[in-house]
């Protein structure tokens, strides 16, 4: 299995992810996405958005998009329960080494305890009593920093959907059931950001809120669980690396009547990548109560008025990008070297799904010292570039260039040779099968298949 350090090293070396503020010594486990990281992130977001708003073959209803603000009225966070105990972690500190830990992450087995209870996992020191720590990121709006100007960066994107429920339903003339999907940044003042991009203080969420009749909520919950698992399977996540966990009452989020976590087997263990929540009428009822605005739905056929129940699917972009990278990371000993005539060493291939691969095609002139080949290769690169993400590379042996592209998951390598000049055909090489084909330049997009 790939190690977390192999992923971190690949990400840094090949321009996927850099540590934030690196020249200043880093900044609180923050990360910046480089050229390949941003391509891959955009591919994930596009795949999710298309899945939700275009591809869903829903038995009834539809899903529409929204882009609400990061900064909203602080009243929203009162109503949602995020400013109270509901959205707080228990924090303990080691009295000896002063490291801080999330209480629910400490090993509570007898061997991990001393006479005073749990001990510090790093130095065996005594720990302080747990203290509640709210995860909201506070800020001020306007020039005066006082209580009246205090607001918060949103810790989840969905509250923007709930407070726009009526706006969206009325302007789009939607009938229950329907969904609203949103992608955007969320912020949490995590006590212990860790495991590379797994848990950070700033991240992006892709959330879909499905508004339905209360009596149908359980059915829809099952439906959305299946749909989300199918999505991961379609994008090639290995079946053995994905599972679901029914979250017991005491561990559920404060708004959830039922919660299933979709987990991925990361190098550091099984961890949540997505939550499916039955939020009941928790959010709309609370916003109705706090705002004084009725957030009801009138069923015209039955004449019944009710507060819709909500099934939520919620996933972090960076977290699944990490999972997709781990899943795709493949080491091949020797096997590929014969064909690429490279040195006999372990080669690495990033077997990402075609939709997710940051670079779709690499354009490679066979040699760089023949101006006519280089000219033709650059023409082909210019032809493809506006339509799909591609790279031009003329440095090093062709085998070495194939390996560079394999490492970042490029789907097809296109080699331009002397025959190209005669008949306008090129050699394509498939990343996974390494099969080579002679292809007309005009058919390239079809062959690449994206
Ligand atoms: N609206 C529901 C909600 O926010 P959540 O389980 O707290 O539920 C949903 O978060 C998803 O957001 C998680 O499954 C994870 O993918 C992502 N996420 C949450 N906190 C994160 C963090 N600190 N860093 C990166 N991703 C995070």
């Amino acid at each position: 299995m790939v190690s977390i350090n192999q992923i971190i090293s690949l990400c840094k070396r090949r321009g996927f992810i850099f540590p934030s503020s690196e020249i200043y010594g880093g900044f609180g486990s923050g990360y910046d996405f480089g050229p390949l990281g941003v391509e891959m992130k955009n591919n994930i977001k596009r795949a999710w958005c298309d899945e939700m708003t275009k591809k869903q073959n829903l038995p009834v209803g539809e899903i529409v998009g929204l882009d609400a603000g990061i900064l909203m009225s602080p009243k929203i966070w009162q109503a949602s329960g995020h400013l109270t105990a509901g959205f707080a972690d228990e924090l303990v500190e080691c009295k000896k080494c002063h490291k801080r830990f999330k209480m629910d992450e400490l090993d509570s087995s007898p061997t991990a305890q001393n006479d005073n209870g749990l001990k510090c996992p790093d130095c065996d020191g005594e720990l302080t009593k747990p203290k509640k720590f709210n995860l909201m990121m506070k800020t001020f709006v306007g020039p005066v920093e006082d209580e009246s100007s205090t607001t918060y960066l949103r810790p989840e994107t969905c509250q923007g959907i709930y407070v726009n429920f009526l706006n969206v339903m009325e302007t789009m003339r939607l009938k229950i059931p329907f969904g609203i999907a949103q992608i955007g940044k969320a912020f949490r003042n995590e006590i212990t950001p860790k495991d590379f991009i797994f848990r950070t203080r700033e991240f992006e969420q892709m959330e879909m809120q499905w508004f339905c009749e209360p009596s149908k909520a359980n059915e829809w919950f099952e439906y959305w669980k299946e749909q989300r698992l199918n999505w991961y399977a379609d994008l090639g996540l290995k079946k053995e690396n994905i599972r679901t966990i029914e979250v017991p009452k005491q561990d559920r989020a404060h708004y959830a009547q039922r919660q299933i976590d979709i987990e991925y087997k990361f190098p550091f263990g099984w961890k949540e990548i997505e939550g499916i929540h039955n939020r009941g009428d928790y959010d709309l009822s609370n916003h109705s109560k706090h705002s004084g605005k009725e957030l009801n739905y009138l069923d015209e056929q039955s004449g019944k008025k009710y507060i819709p129940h909500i099934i939520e699917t919620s996933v972090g972009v960076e977290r699944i990008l990490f999972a997709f990278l781990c899943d795709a990371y493949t080491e091949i000993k020797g096997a590929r070297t014969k064909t690429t005539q490279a040195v006999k060493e372990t080669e690495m291939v990033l077997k990402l799904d075609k939709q997710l691969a940051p670079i779709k095609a690499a354009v490679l002139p066979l040699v760089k010292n023949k101006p006519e080949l280089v000219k033709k290769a650059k023409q082909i690169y210019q032809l493809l570039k506006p339509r799909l993400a591609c790279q031009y590379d003329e440095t090093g042996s062709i085998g070495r260039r194939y390996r560079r592209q394999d490492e970042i998951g490029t789907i097809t390598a296109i080699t331009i040779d002397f025959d190209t000049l005669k008949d306008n055909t090129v050699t394509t090489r498939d990343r996974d099968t390494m099969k080579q084909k002679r292809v007309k330049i005009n058919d390239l997009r079809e062959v690449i298949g994206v």
Side-chain angles (χ1 to χ4, degrees):
M1 183 193 242
V2 60
S3 72
I4 188 167
N5 286 337
Q6 281 172 307
I7 297 287
I8 294 172
S9 155
L10 172 76
C11 286
K12 176 83 202 294
R13 209 162 16 90
R14 301 308 312 271
F16 282 84
I17 303 168
F18 309 123
S20 163
S21 319
E22 198 181 7
I23 60 167
Y24 287 100
F27 178 67
S29 305
Y31 292 94
D32 297 334
F33 283 74
L36 297 196
V38 81
E39 285 289 340
M40 189 170 163
K41 239 178 145 185
N42 285 340
N43 292 344
I44 291 175
K45 290 190 272 185
R46 198 171 307 116
W48 183 87
C49 197
D50 284 353
E51 168 74 10
M52 286 300 177
T53 61
K54 293 184 191 154
K55 290 193 194 155
Q56 273 296 329
N57 189 12
L58 289 158
V60 55
E62 61 181 304
I63 301 177
V64 294
L66 182 79
D67 186 8
I70 290 173
L71 295 173
M72 298 190 285
S73 164
K75 291 178 188 160
I76 289 177
W77 308 114
Q78 280 298 348
S80 69
H82 283 85
L83 291 179
T84 49
F87 194 59
D89 278 345
E90 287 199 311
L91 164 75
V92 288
E93 189 176 325
C94 173
K95 291 182 181 171
K96 208 160 114 196
C97 71
H98 300 287
K99 277 225 175 103
R100 289 172 182 162
F101 303 94
K102 254 175 96 171
M103 185 67 183
D104 63 4
E105 282 187 352
L106 288 174
D107 180 2
S108 56
S109 64
T111 49
Q113 306 200 16
N114 60 24
D115 297 344
N116 300 311
L118 289 177
K119 62 184 181 185
C120 172
D122 283 6
C123 75
D124 284 355
E126 198 185 324
L127 297 174
T128 58
K129 288 221 158 59
K131 254 196 314 202
K132 286 273 185 195
F133 178 81
N134 189 278
L135 304 179
M136 296 294 280
M137 286 267 196
K138 202 186 245 186
T139 189
F140 301 95
V141 174
V144 185
E145 294 188 7
D146 64 12
E147 212 174 298
S148 66
S149 66
T150 300
T151 192
Y152 303 86
L153 306 186
R154 65 183 176 194
E156 56 173 6
T157 57
C158 56
Q159 296 299 330
I161 294 182
Y162 307 143
V163 298
N164 278 294
F165 160 70
L166 288 182
N167 284 338
V168 175
M169 184 169 70
E170 287 168 8
T171 54
M172 297 288 108
R173 294 185 292 125
L174 295 169
K175 300 227 179 316
I176 293 284
F178 68 86
I180 304 179
Q182 179 171 220
I183 300 178
K185 288 263 185 182
F187 300 82
R188 295 182 190 178
N189 201 2
E190 298 282 359
I191 304 170
T192 51
K194 66 171 183 179
D195 295 324
F196 191 36
I197 54 168
F198 177 80
R199 190 194 295 138
T200 49
R201 295 193 172 106
E202 174 183 348
F203 52 97
E204 258 185 299
Q205 285 189 317
M206 305 190 286
E207 299 200 302
M208 194 284 297
Q209 312 297 313
W210 184 251
F211 298 86
C212 64
E213 220 183 285
S215 65
K216 304 263 170 63
N218 289 338
E219 243 173 80
W220 282 115
F221 187 93
E222 294 303 328
Y223 176 85
W224 282 112
K225 179 183 129 190
E226 286 312 309
Q227 294 302 309
R228 298 305 300 141
L229 288 171
N230 291 343
W231 189 70
Y232 290 110
D234 288 349
L235 288 175
L237 267 200
K238 296 186 189 97
K239 216 170 157 207
E240 64 271 22
N241 289 341
I242 200 144
R243 71 178 187 190
T244 54
I245 295 284
E246 180 83 44
V247 180
K249 193 163 190 257
Q250 68 274 16
D251 297 335
R252 277 179 220 150
H254 64 277
Y255 46 73
Q257 287 180 9
R258 189 176 168 205
Q259 176 174 343
I260 276 180
D261 286 349
I262 300 179
E263 293 191 336
Y264 179 76
K265 196 176 180 187
F266 284 99
F268 44 92
W270 285 99
K271 298 279 173 192
E272 174 193 340
I273 51 171
E274 170 156 355
I276 318 281
H277 308 123
N278 179 347
R279 298 179 74 126
D281 66 350
Y282 177 87
D283 302 278
L284 291 185
S285 290
N286 277 322
H287 285 306
S288 191
K289 207 161 72 199
H290 282 74
S291 66
K293 182 108 185 157
E294 270 197 13
L295 299 175
N296 290 330
Y297 176 74
L298 173 67
D299 184 326
E300 279 166 2
Q301 266 182 346
S302 66
K304 223 171 69 183
K305 214 176 186 188
Y306 60 86
I307 294 186
H309 280 204
I310 291 169
I311 305 301
E312 167 183 66
T313 71
S314 172
V315 50
V317 179
E318 296 82 356
R319 210 175 264 193
I320 57 168
L321 182 143
F322 191 8
F324 282 122
L325 285 178
C326 293
D327 222 61
Y329 193 102
T330 313
E331 282 183 327
I332 300 178
K333 289 205 175 73
R336 296 165 75 92
T337 56
K338 280 180 221 118
T339 13
T340 60
Q341 294 170 352
V343 280
K344 287 223 175 314
E345 61 190 28
T346 300
E347 290 178 20
M348 204 235 111
V349 186
L350 200 59
K351 294 195 170 186
L352 285 170
D353 180 87
K354 282 186 176 182
Q355 282 182 72
L356 303 186
I359 304 295
K360 311 299 183 196
V363 180
L364 318 170
L366 188 63
V367 285
K368 70 169 176 186
N369 57 359
K370 295 284 175 217
E372 61 277 36
L373 277 193
V374 168
K375 189 173 165 210
K376 189 74 185 169
K378 285 190 174 162
Q379 275 171 2
I380 294 174
Y381 175 60
Q382 290 304 335
L383 183 84
L384 294 176
K385 207 163 81 120
R387 295 180 186 89
L388 46 90
C390 54
Q391 279 191 350
Y392 173 84
D393 186 5
E394 58 179 26
T395 326
S397 73
I398 197 77
R400 210 187 172 85
R401 282 182 274 162
Y402 283 157
R403 290 214 306 286
R404 268 206 295 267
Q405 294 300 329
D406 286 346
E407 205 185 25
I408 59 170
T410 304
I411 304 164
T412 307
I414 301 164
T415 308
I416 288 84
D417 57 22
F418 293 102
D419 285 342
T420 312
L421 303 176
K422 286 186 234 148
D423 61 6
N424 269 329
T425 62
V426 290
T427 300
T428 60
R429 171 193 178 268
D430 179 88
R431 176 195 71 196
D432 298 332
T433 62
M434 291 188 303
K435 281 217 175 92
Q436 303 202 353
K437 266 203 274 192
R438 205 67 200 171
V439 170
K440 286 208 184 84
I441 292 171
N442 285 345
D443 296 341
L444 270 174
R445 274 201 81 189
E446 206 180 307
V447 172
I448 298 163
V450 284

